[in-house]
Amino acid sequence: MQHRPVATLLSLTAPDGYNGDINLLVVVRDNGALAGVEVIGHRETPGLGDKIESGRSDWLQQFVGASLVNPPQTAWRVKRDGGYFDQLTGATVTPRAIVKAVQQVLAYLRDHGSDHFEFETDPITSSERIKLEGDKTS
Ligand SMILES: Cc1cc2nc3c(=O)[nH]c(=O)nc-3n(C[C@H](O)[C@H](O)[C@H](O)COP(=O)(O)O)c2cc1C
């Protein structure tokens, strides 16, 4: 039995945050749209750049459903730079770094995505399957 992945999760670093690296997890669906972006590490300034954290504002929510065609590639910038994405009050550098990194990862997947969405042989071996099916009836 073969399974086709419906989404892929990538870990990446946006290197040009205000205080350096911002580490992100990005989940992209097989149709190229983002399922979500999460910040897993950063050193941005409390009260300014740290509002990227999902517990501090809903800033990351604007990536849900976005893709390289929505908004169009030229709009993958913060509003202050003429793009689609909100910046944060008093903090444009941090959002700029994340928008750029997420756009780059989507472009990477567009060019190399077949590796991530290939059919895979069922990872459950036949002996494990028998055990799982046995569990159901016991
Ligand atoms: C002490 C200090 C800490 C700052 N921390 C951040 C930060 O974490 N993220 C950020 O985007 N901007 C931060 N800023 C503000 C930036 O210097 C910049 O003014 C702001 O991001 C707007 O950028 P822009 O003029 O390119 O739009 C900080 C400024 C100071 C003085």
Side-chain angles (χ1 to χ4, degrees):
M1 191 176 180
Q2 288 191 321
H3 292 289
R4 191 175 191 284
V6 295
T8 185
L9 182 147
L10 296 106
S11 164
L12 63 139
T13 298
D16 37 15
Y18 187 83
N19 289 318
D21 289 353
I22 302 168
N23 295 319
L24 304 167
L25 286 181
V26 171
V27 177
V28 186
R29 296 187 192 283
D30 57 355
N31 65 2
L34 286 159
V37 177
E38 189 53 65
V39 173
I40 54 168
H42 73 85
R43 285 174 290 147
E44 303 299 276
T45 310
L48 288 169
D50 76 341
K51 291 193 190 127
I52 52 173
E53 290 177 24
S54 52
R56 296 183 190 277
S57 86
D58 60 2
W59 185 81
L60 285 172
Q61 285 299 312
Q62 63 191 323
F63 290 102
V64 176
S67 72
L68 287 182
V69 291
N70 176 32
Q73 287 236 49
T74 49
W76 274 81
R77 301 171 188 281
V78 293
K79 286 184 176 152
R80 176 128 184 211
D81 300 334
Y84 168 80
F85 293 95
D86 289 330
Q87 54 271 349
L88 293 162
T89 306
T92 306
V93 174
T94 309
R96 210 177 256 148
I98 296 181
V99 169
K100 182 176 160 192
V102 174
Q103 182 191 22
Q104 283 176 346
V105 85
L106 290 177
Y108 168 84
L109 275 181
R110 178 197 56 205
D111 299 339
H112 306 281
S114 53
D115 301 349
H116 291 263
F117 292 109
E118 264 176 11
F119 283 93
E120 288 179 352
T121 305
D122 191 339
I124 302 174
T125 67
S126 52
S127 60
E128 282 166 329
R129 181 187 306 285
I130 289 160
K131 183 165 172 286
L132 290 171
E133 285 169 357
D135 285 345
K136 257 190 264 169
T137 54
S138 64

